[in-house]
Amino acid sequence: MVGPIERYLLDKIKSDGTIHITLIDPEKVTAQGAATIAEHSAKSGTAAIMIGGSTFSSQNHLDAVIKNIKSSINLPTILFPNNVTGISSHADAIWFMSLLNSVDPYFLMGAQILGAPLVKKFGIEPISMGYVIVGEGGTAGIVGKAIAVPYNKPELAAAHALAGQYLGMRFIYLEGGSGAATPVPPEMIGAVKHLVDVPLIVGGGIRSKEAAVTAAKAGADIIVTGNLTESADAKQKIADIINAIKNVKQ
């Protein structure tokens, strides 16, 4: 069943063509700093706030970050957990995801089994997602023990994504890795979008409006920027990206 946050995202994609989501890593910011980033992003037109990182963050700090964000803006907060420690009762939704190219069963289904009862208990909306690490992979690839799909193998990324869709996952995320030197190439985005019928999320290495437009034109339904929020001119860059991708598909 599609919940209210998922329906909101689908409606935004339908109306805007390609949407932007801001990713905040709780390990890299204070609770107040996270709220400030969220405020700037909301004013620029971001559709939602994702909270999560590749390594461990204390539960208390994660809760504080989310509570500060929610007190500052009226946008959905979606958990992007690296493990069960990334679950907070204060969030609106969670990407309930499986790392499709991990060689460790824990990241395919183990963490999900441990986390599902908490998601149910806290009343967080689960949004199923197939997570595919490509290119450099970054810290997420190392922690998740993923065999990253090379950028020159777009058909392999597409096969992973289609398998995720056939397993019932309602979103696919191509992750180039936090701070990746090169964003996911349009050939790979296009190959995946050609095969799947579910919304496609693309993140990693997108630092400019030109890169964002390239991803949107190739087929990305959602563009995620994370490291960009840490730059001195983050507010302007996020605004530029959101304005550039608006109505690209239309």
Side-chain angles (χ1 to χ4, degrees):
M1 189 176 81
V2 175
I5 304 302
E6 182 175 351
R7 173 51 56 196
Y8 161 80
L9 294 176
L10 295 175
D11 288 345
K12 284 286 287 181
I13 291 168
K14 185 176 181 180
S15 64
D16 295 357
T18 302
I19 64 174
H20 175 271
I21 292 181
T22 300
L23 171 61
I24 296 176
D25 186 340
E27 274 206 291
K28 297 180 179 180
V29 293
T30 63
Q32 185 52 54
T36 300
I37 292 170
E39 286 175 6
H40 290 165
S41 298
K43 289 177 182 177
S44 298
T46 200
I49 305 294
M50 282 167 51
I51 303 103
S54 300
T55 52
F56 177 76
S57 178
S58 78
Q59 191 68 59
N60 288 339
H61 180 59
L62 176 62
D63 289 342
V65 163
I66 296 171
K67 285 192 287 186
N68 270 262
I69 291 173
K70 288 179 70 66
S71 67
S72 301
I73 61 169
N74 186 28
L75 284 178
T77 52
I78 307 173
L79 294 169
F80 183 50
N82 66 320
N83 210 323
V84 292
T85 53
I87 299 174
S88 169
S89 61
H90 301 284
D92 299 309
I94 182 170
W95 291 119
F96 201 83
M97 58 191 185
S98 176
L99 178 49
L100 296 176
N101 53 334
S102 176
V103 297
D104 188 339
Y106 180 77
F107 294 103
L108 289 169
M109 184 52 68
Q112 295 80 0
I113 292 170
L114 293 175
L118 288 175
V119 173
K120 180 76 170 179
K121 176 183 177 181
F122 295 151
I124 308 167
E125 179 184 332
I127 308 174
S128 65
M129 180 174 78
Y131 188 43
V132 185
I133 293 180
V134 298
E136 299 171 27
T139 304
I142 295 170
V143 173
K145 299 179 183 177
I147 300 177
V149 179
Y151 279 161
N152 64 351
K153 298 290 183 181
E155 71 284 354
L156 188 55
H160 278 77
L162 187 60
Q165 177 184 311
Y166 285 171
L167 285 167
M169 296 162 185
R170 298 195 295 272
F171 288 77
I172 297 295
Y173 192 158
L174 291 183
E175 169 68 273
S178 177
T182 307
V184 182
E187 295 79 12
M188 179 174 280
I189 297 170
V192 171
K193 192 60 180 176
H194 178 72
L195 276 192
V196 302
D197 302 312
V198 297
L200 176 59
I201 307 168
V202 177
I206 299 175
R207 301 181 183 85
S208 67
K209 62 181 181 182
E210 292 79 12
V213 167
T214 296
K217 286 183 175 180
D221 297 293
I222 299 175
I223 289 173
V224 175
T225 58
N227 276 27
L228 193 63
T229 61
E230 301 159 27
S231 63
D233 54 349
K235 182 180 179 181
Q236 185 60 51
K237 284 185 175 179
I238 291 173
D240 289 345
I241 285 174
I242 293 170
N243 288 330
I245 64 174
K246 190 174 292 184
N247 300 320
V248 161
K249 290 185 181 177
Q250 295 178 352

